[in-house]
Amino acid sequence: MIVAGLMTGTSADALDVALVEFHLGGTADQPELRMDLRAFQEVPFDSDLALDILRLLEPDPVPLTLVSSVDRRLGQLCAEAVAAVSEETGLECELVVSHGQTIRHDVRDGAVESTLQLGQPAWIAERLGVPVLSDLRARDVAAGGQGAPLAGMLDHLLLVGGDQPRAMLNLGGIANVTVVSPTSDTVAFDTGPANALIDVMARRITGDPRAFDRDGELAARGEVDEALLADLLADPYYALPAPKSTGKELFHGTYLDRHLTRHPGLDPYDVIATLTRLTARTVAQACRPLGVSEIAVSGGGTRNPVLMSELRAELGTEVPVSTTDEALGLPSEAKEGCLMALLGWLSWHGLPATIPSVTGAAHGTLAGRFTPGAQPLRLPAPLRTGPARLHVAS
């Protein structure tokens, strides 16, 4: 089965499109799933769409017309992107899984009250004629979970079976980590900002509303301000127990400014260096109590050598840090697209796509809702047992 996985994250810069082929093998008691990444493309947003999405991610009120417009335009972009990749590769998918752009993830007193993603799936179904799975987080929230991080299932199936606790870390706008241990339940949670606050300062320094700290060049020009770092680390979120999740509803420009007013006159390069250290420090503080022996990293943060160097320094030589490319043969930039495809494969076969110990839900849930394609929706007979392991095809 070939599934197209679409992902746009909290960095809101591009659409990831992964065409993934799945093969189920193993035994009846211990089924195993092989995942073969057949094609991957990163499709940049045009300037207008990117700026409108970034506007939706700020805490200020926005007109409903903007929400509706982004919902349409992102759905259309998703449809054309999958069509283009399929035409270029000659691969036809049987299912499209579209995460959409999260514009709200509302958390009160540690509980997620609602989560909202844009990117109307009807445009994809109409353009391609195949079913579309979307709205992947809401059912877990309705079951009392965080609806995040969704990566827990993929990470668990890739890491299960080791003799020591191992972790997978994604550095997008927000950092999330999954820890798989032979002696306890798998846990996963958002550790805090990864690039969210770094991007804020990169845009202020450069004057480019879509800028990011390319190759860590901006952070490399500054020095960490320990007083600002201590102030940022005092945020109550970091002390909350898992399961927990967060987003740009908390970590945004206004949030940063509240801290900067207590530290006037800082050099902007020192601020961005401090924010880079903040990401590394909060990841390390989250992983250390869980006895993590090694970490495989994915996401845009892997392309920032200053951030990766800070992370290695915070974790020390006893916790090796590699990319998912190096550790698992899974391209770090394609991991979240593959994740979406996996969640679609599981839901298509009637299997839970979330883990209660990860999200805090009362039970594992099917992810998302289906939009039929050109034909009436016909699901296969549900599988009785889900895969025990996931292998990346070499």
Side-chain angles (χ1 to χ4, degrees), residues 192-213:
N195 295 305
L197 297 179
I198 295 171
D199 288 348
V200 169
M201 281 308 300
R203 290 160 187 166
R204 292 179 180 181
I205 290 171
T206 63
D208 180 350
R210 298 181 62 184
F212 59 95
D213 191 6

Side-chain angles (χ1 to χ4, degrees), residues 351-365:
L351 297 169
T354 59
I355 303 173
S357 64
V358 166
T359 68
H363 53 83
T365 62

Side-chain angles (χ1 to χ4, degrees), residues 46 54 59 91 137 146-147 172 175 179 183 219 224 250 254 292 324 328 348 355:
D46 67 61
L54 291 172
L91 299 171
R137 298 182 185 270
Q146 296 282 315
V179 179
T183 58
V224 172
L250 175 59
T254 303
V292 170
T324 56
L328 300 163
W348 186 255
I355 303 173

Side-chain angles (χ1 to χ4, degrees), residues 66-104:
L66 180 62
V67 177
S68 177
S69 173
V70 168
D71 190 45
R72 170 185 60 82
R73 286 181 286 156
L74 184 54
Q76 291 172 328
L77 173 65
C78 290
E80 294 306 319
V82 178
V85 174
S86 294
E87 183 177 347
E88 290 173 16
T89 60
L91 299 171
E92 294 187 3
C93 58
E94 301 169 58
L95 173 68
V96 176
V97 185
S98 180
H99 176 273
Q101 177 66 54
T102 298
I103 62 165
R104 293 298 305 175

